[in-house]
Amino acid sequence: MVFNNRFVSGLFAVGFIVIIAGIASAQTAKTGDFKTGGDTPEIITSVPRTMTYQGILKDNEGNPYDGVLTVEFKIYNVESGGSSLWYEPQDIEFVDGYFTVELGTINPLNLSFDEDYWLEIIIGSDILFPRQKLNMSAYSARTDTSDYAFNADLLDGMDSGDFALVNHNHDDDYVNENQPNSISSDMIIDETIQFVDIGQNGADIDQVMKWNGSGWIASDDEVGVGGGGWADDGTVVRLETDSDSVGIGTTSPSEKLEIEGNILINGKATIGSGHINTGTYATVSGGGNNTASGHYSIIGGGRLNMSKAQFSGVFSGYSNLAGDEEADTAAFVGGGSNNSAFAKYSTVSGGDSCTASGDYSTVAGGQYNTASNIGAAVSGGYLNTASGGHSVIGGGNFNVNEGNYSVIPGGYADTITTSALMSYLFGIGSKLTGDSTFMVDMPHIRFGDEATGYEFPTSDGESDQVMATDGNGQLSWVDVSSGGGGWTDDGTVVRLETIDDSVGIGTTSPTEKLDVSGNIKASGTITSGSSITIDGVNNEITSTTGTIDFDDENLVTSGKATIGPNHTNTGGNAFVAGSNNTTSGAQSTVGGGYMNTASQQACVVGGGQQNEASGSYSTVAGGLMSTARFQLGNRRLFHYRGWYKKHCKCILCYYCRRVW
């Protein structure tokens, strides 16, 4: 039992009052025989050199302690410091906290008692303080060497305490020898009757005292039948019967030891056989033949595992090692067999014959894998070695990564050398020496899925070749001339290498020199030497001569222009827009609409449907089936043919308002 300072001081205060009375009582009980015949008495038998010490032991919460403890007693001639003059250890039984011990039964009290003495008590590793000064009763032992003390203390061999005082009386406080009921319970001081004061009373071995309904008798211990209880062999407390079980917190233990509740162990703990546990606060909680020698180290189970570093641990497995010296702080092996983690904060999670020898290194599993530099890691596989700082091998077989901060995700027999820092290697039997390189060395390098993806060639092409697809997901190197000259950058001009080639944008089969399937946005000038046609499925702009210029907001043409589908534009510098319209007069215009016609010079149809401007300089603004036919001198006549009432046709002159 470990006593803290609060406990010790409390124990000392409780025991001190009882101690004084115990010591004084013990010394007045000393006797000895002597004979006279001269001026001085002759000592025949020495006074017994013992003292009785009594006290009570309680814990921090004031609860009396029950059990057996080893208590050491020392006597000094100084209150503090100095060297002990007498020493004696005794195993003391505490019952409800009370204890009695006779000092001097092991080592006689061969002291002169001619000076002041102090008694020091040690329980476990705790020294009770201050020391207790022995009172005067202890010095009655001086009579053993004082020639005349016997004359004052003994009479006919009897102690002076055996005689009544001169002024005594015979009231109810005194009893006579053999008087019935002469001693009552009130006359007995508690805790003063010892086992030696109780007779056998007919009891046999292993019998106990029982109440039979009218009195106490000696009888068999029926409660203890089937087991011998506890036996104290001095330094060992054990069960008397090997087959018995122990229950703590339960009356029906199902195992040799069953505890219903928590367990607090202050110190190291060892469970199982054949273990070696020499580490401070170390724990071996199972298995067999395991060794925990590191401070605060732990072995969970398994066999022949060793945890030698401080704060290190082996969870289970066979013949694993966590730290080969105390300084390998917090090395850990989770399980497996023949694994070793012997660097600071290194870890081997499992596997067989794996090693993590770099600080903060990790091997997750596999067989014969090694992480030998700071922060290196091997996730699994077989015979992989990550020796670069913070290098990683994801798995595979026979891979070696010597480059700092480099990665081999897996594969077979790949190598990254020390010169290849911060590099990645995907390959089979490949070697990477370049710094900061992403290298893929595989027979097939594919992007996308197998149905719609594409695969790269496995080797470089020839000079000036380009990579082209066959349309079925396979890229290959081809000559530029095999599919045309392609594009050439002359510095300030980008052009087609072959002038006979066409350019398709949004289409793979251009029908013109430039075929755009989609919209065109221009912020400058589009110039044509002869004609321009922009056809968005018959929505077209056509110029036979001149240019079509685009600026921020305006469309400027030189020559005729056609915008929209299905037009007929034969007039010089004519303009037509909309759909299915016709411009045949020079400088004639159809601004939009459907099936409109401008057939004379400078005539105009603004829009609408089936309108006609057939006179020079005539105009139809819009509407349906309207006609402007006439010109009178320099004055233009606007005539309209329209629907009137029940589809009666009429001609209305714009100027005279007459119906023709």
Side-chain angles (χ1 to χ4, degrees):
M1 184 174 187
V2 178
F3 304 93
N4 57 39
N5 289 335
R6 289 183 56 199
F7 177 80
V8 172
S9 61
L11 168 64
F12 190 87
V14 174
F16 184 79
I17 298 175
V18 182
I19 290 167
I20 299 302
I23 293 176
S25 173
Q27 297 310 314
T28 56
K30 308 300 182 188
T31 60
D33 295 331
F34 70 96
K35 65 180 181 178
T36 60
D39 295 334
T40 59
E42 180 181 350
I43 299 174
I44 299 176
T45 302
S46 175
V47 176
R49 312 292 292 185
T50 61
M51 290 190 300
T52 300
Y53 183 92
Q54 294 178 325
I56 182 171
L57 178 63
K58 295 182 178 181
D59 61 18
N60 290 330
E61 298 179 355
N63 300 314
Y65 175 76
D66 284 280
V68 177
L69 291 173
T70 298
V71 182
E72 301 174 71
F73 299 89
K74 295 181 180 181
I75 293 179
Y76 294 80
N77 59 358
V78 290
E79 185 174 2
S80 63
S83 300
S84 63
L85 305 177
W86 173 86
Y87 168 77
E88 181 175 273
Q90 289 205 31
D91 293 329
I92 301 175
E93 182 179 12
F94 295 83
V95 180
D96 290 331
Y98 291 97
F99 69 95
T100 299
V101 61
E102 188 172 359
L103 304 179
T105 57
I106 298 176
N107 296 326
L109 286 165
N110 294 325
L111 299 175
S112 62
F113 288 94
D114 58 354
E115 58 179 328
D116 291 338
Y117 292 114
W118 284 265
L119 179 65
E120 181 177 87
I121 302 171
I122 303 173
I123 301 179
S125 60
D126 297 304
I127 301 175
L128 278 63
F129 58 90
R131 296 170 182 169
Q132 301 180 47
K133 186 175 181 181
L134 300 181
N135 62 11
M136 288 298 295
S137 61
Y139 290 89
S140 62
R142 178 65 176 165
T143 59
D144 192 25
T145 56
S146 178
D147 295 338
Y148 301 99
F150 292 100
N151 291 331
D153 195 37
L154 301 177
L155 180 61
D156 290 335
M158 299 178 64
D159 189 271
S160 60
D162 295 332
F163 296 90
L165 300 176
V166 175
N167 58 349
H168 76 281
N169 55 50
H170 291 274
D171 55 18
D172 293 339
D173 292 334
Y174 290 83
V175 295
N176 296 319
E177 186 176 3
N178 298 323
Q179 176 182 335
N181 302 319
S182 58
I183 299 178
S184 65
S185 177
D186 294 339
M187 300 172 65
I188 299 175
I189 300 175
D190 290 342
E191 310 296 333
T192 58
I193 296 179
Q194 307 296 314
F195 287 123
V196 296
D197 299 323
I198 302 174
Q200 184 174 350
N201 295 315
D204 290 333
I205 294 176
D206 294 331
Q207 285 189 319
V208 297
M209 187 169 62
K210 290 187 177 181
W211 181 257
N212 65 1
S214 60
W216 292 99
I217 61 171
S219 180
D220 292 335
D221 183 7
E222 296 177 357
V223 176
V225 173
W230 294 97
D232 187 350
D233 294 336
T235 59
V236 176
V237 178
R238 57 176 176 81
L239 287 173
E240 184 71 26
T241 303
D242 292 342
S243 59
D244 284 353
S245 298
V246 176
I248 300 176
T250 176
T251 58
S252 55
S254 59
E255 303 293 340
K256 296 297 290 181
L257 172 62
E258 181 175 344
I259 300 174
E260 183 67 29
N262 299 324
I263 300 176
L264 174 62
I265 300 176
N266 292 320
K268 65 183 67 177
T270 304
I271 300 174
S273 62
H275 301 306
I276 299 174
N277 187 348
T278 59
T280 304
Y281 297 106
T283 300
V284 180
S285 58
N289 302 102
N290 296 310
T291 299
S293 57
H295 298 325
Y296 308 95
S297 61
I298 184 170
I299 295 179
R303 186 169 180 269
L304 293 175
N305 297 307
M306 290 188 292
S307 183
K308 295 184 177 182
Q310 58 183 350
F311 308 108
S312 63
V314 177
F315 183 75
S316 187
Y318 174 80
S319 192
N320 296 307
L321 171 64
D324 60 354
E325 61 182 5
E326 185 71 20
D328 295 337
T329 303
F332 176 76
V333 177
S337 61
N338 303 298
N339 297 309
S340 299
F342 51 88
K344 293 180 180 178
Y345 308 101
S346 58
T347 299
V348 177
S349 299
D352 175 60
S353 302
C354 297
T355 301
S357 57
D359 292 348
Y360 309 97
S361 61
T362 299
V363 177
Q367 187 178 34
Y368 299 112
N369 294 313
T370 300
S372 59
N373 207 333
I374 182 170
V378 178
S379 298
Y382 177 79
L383 267 176
N384 297 305
T385 300
S387 58
H390 306 281
S391 60
V392 174
I393 297 178
N397 294 353
F398 304 105
N399 297 304
V400 177
N401 190 348
E402 302 172 348
N404 294 341
Y405 305 99
S406 294
V407 177
I408 298 177
Y412 177 82
D414 291 326
T415 300
I416 295 180
T417 65
T418 55
S419 60
L421 308 179
M422 295 174 284
S423 296
Y424 290 78
L425 173 59
F426 296 80
I428 300 175
S430 305
K431 185 175 183 179
L432 174 59
T433 61
D435 183 24
S436 304
T437 301
F438 187 93
M439 177 174 168
V440 180
D441 182 17
M442 303 289 289
H444 301 279
I445 304 170
R446 189 173 186 84
F447 283 81
D449 59 34
E450 292 185 347
T452 61
Y454 51 94
E455 185 173 313
F456 285 86
T458 58
S459 61
D460 192 11
E462 297 179 0
S463 177
D464 295 330
Q465 283 188 318
V466 296
M467 192 178 296
T469 179
D470 63 357
N472 294 314
Q474 182 63 56
L475 300 179
S476 60
W477 297 104
V478 299
D479 295 328
V480 175
S481 60
S482 64
W487 293 96
T488 298
D489 187 352
D490 293 334
T492 59
V493 175
V494 178
R495 58 179 175 80
L496 288 173
E497 182 71 23
T498 304
I499 61 174
D500 293 332
D501 286 349
S502 297
V503 176
I505 300 177
T507 177
T508 59
S509 55
T511 60
E512 303 293 341
K513 297 297 289 183
L514 173 61
D515 191 343
V516 179
S517 179
N519 299 324
I520 298 175
K521 181 179 180 181
S523 60
T525 300
I526 299 177
T527 303
S528 173
S530 59
S531 64
I532 292 178
T533 300
I534 300 176
D535 188 352
V537 187
N538 296 324
N539 295 307
E540 56 187 13
I541 297 177
T542 302
S543 175
T544 56
T545 59
T547 61
I548 299 177
D549 298 329
F550 296 87
D551 57 21
D552 291 342
E553 298 179 354
N554 304 311
L555 172 63
V556 181
T557 65
S558 174
K560 62 184 178 181
T562 301
I563 300 176
N566 303 321
H567 298 304
T568 299
N569 187 351
T570 59
N573 297 324
F575 175 83
V576 62
S579 174
N580 297 85
N581 298 314
T582 299
T583 53
S584 57
Q587 294 90 35
S588 61
T589 298
V590 177
Y594 176 72
M595 293 185 68
N596 298 308
T597 301
S599 59
Q600 296 299 318
Q601 181 180 0
C603 62
V604 176
V605 177
Q609 180 177 332
Q610 294 179 291
N611 299 308
E612 180 182 356
S614 57
S616 298
Y617 307 103
S618 62
T619 299
V620 178
L624 174 64
M625 298 182 68
S626 299
T627 301
R629 295 181 175 178
F630 305 104
Q631 176 182 2
L632 182 59
N634 292 328
R635 299 182 62 185
R636 280 171 277 183
L637 299 179
F638 295 85
H639 298 274
Y640 298 89
R641 178 187 296 163
W643 295 96
Y644 179 77
K645 293 185 178 180
K646 296 182 179 179
H647 308 288
C648 294
K649 293 185 178 179
C650 64
I651 299 175
L652 174 65
C653 178
Y654 180 82
Y655 291 98
C656 63
R657 311 299 294 173
R658 293 176 59 187
V659 179
W660 296 69

